[in-house]
Amino acid sequence: EDQVTQSPEALRLQEGESSSLNCSYTVSGLRGLFWYRQDPGKGPEFLFTLYSAGEEKEKERLKATLTKKESFLHITAPKPEDSATYLCALHPRGSSNTGKLIFGQGTTLQVKP
Amino acid sequence: DVKVTQSSRYLVKRTGEKVFLECVQDMDHENMFWYRQDPGLGLRLIYFSYDVKMKEKGDIPEGYSVSREKKERFSLILESASTNQTSMYLCASSLQATVNTEAFFGQGTRLTVV
């Protein structure tokens, strides 16, 4: 069965304290893995797509990496405005063109000044 | 810029009312989705559509129906609203392709059923 597990559920960091969020997955075949950021009361905002093991994507203080079993979202020197819930989602090959995604439960990040 | 627009940010409805949530996308995407999001339960798929007039049940379709008469518009219908349907509702759309299949979300509709 295809599934996604994110850890930790919640993470508190001091401003400037780098860390990583984990997304572990099992899937029969991976079409893509996505990271989203969600602010309270708003819809998820797309951040990155990763397609194959070894791939990396960067945007400002965020870097996403992918292996065959997990993805990491590395946050370097975070600022309070990086506080949000970060969601990981899989697009399995089995979902073909319907685009059905499997979402993790998310990691809620709080960055204190 | 890609855009998915939901008709309301906040709605308050009475138990038993028929409720319509509208979603429009301007990206010419084939796939459209309705999710609900509740604390501790994450995103749960209600219905999705991969083509005009085509729809499939997601994980929690009970008490809901959908309509897709035009490619850009996907409506979620609560046939008879109940208090357990109080939730954040999120619409999304994506492309049918082998790459760039990420979903884009609307701003969400916070529905309260009283």
Side-chain angles (χ1 to χ4, degrees), chain A residues 4-6 9 21-23 33-39 42-48 64 71 73 84-90 101-109, chain B residues 35 37 41-43 90 105:
Chain A
V4 181
T5 304
Q6 289 188 248
E9 281 187 28
L21 282 53
N22 177 263
C23 171
L33 184 143
F34 311 115
W35 282 98
Y36 291 86
R37 169 194 170 121
Q38 187 175 23
D39 293 304
K42 296 189 177 180
E45 175 191 348
F46 169 71
L47 292 173
F48 303 111
S71 177
L73 186 65
T85 296
Y86 291 87
L87 297 168
C88 169
L90 287 186
L101 303 182
I102 301 171
F103 280 87
Q105 293 289 315
T107 294
T108 299
L109 173 66
Chain B
Y35 293 89
Q37 188 175 33
L41 297 177
L43 280 161
L90 292 162
F105 284 83

Side-chain angles (χ1 to χ4, degrees), chain B residues 64-83:
Chain B
Y64 303 94
S65 62
V66 290
S67 171
R68 194 167 180 201
E69 296 296 319
K70 292 185 177 181
K71 189 176 185 180
E72 67 271 19
R73 188 178 297 269
F74 193 36
S75 302
L76 179 69
I77 304 151
L78 285 66
E79 298 291 344
S80 176
S82 65
T83 54

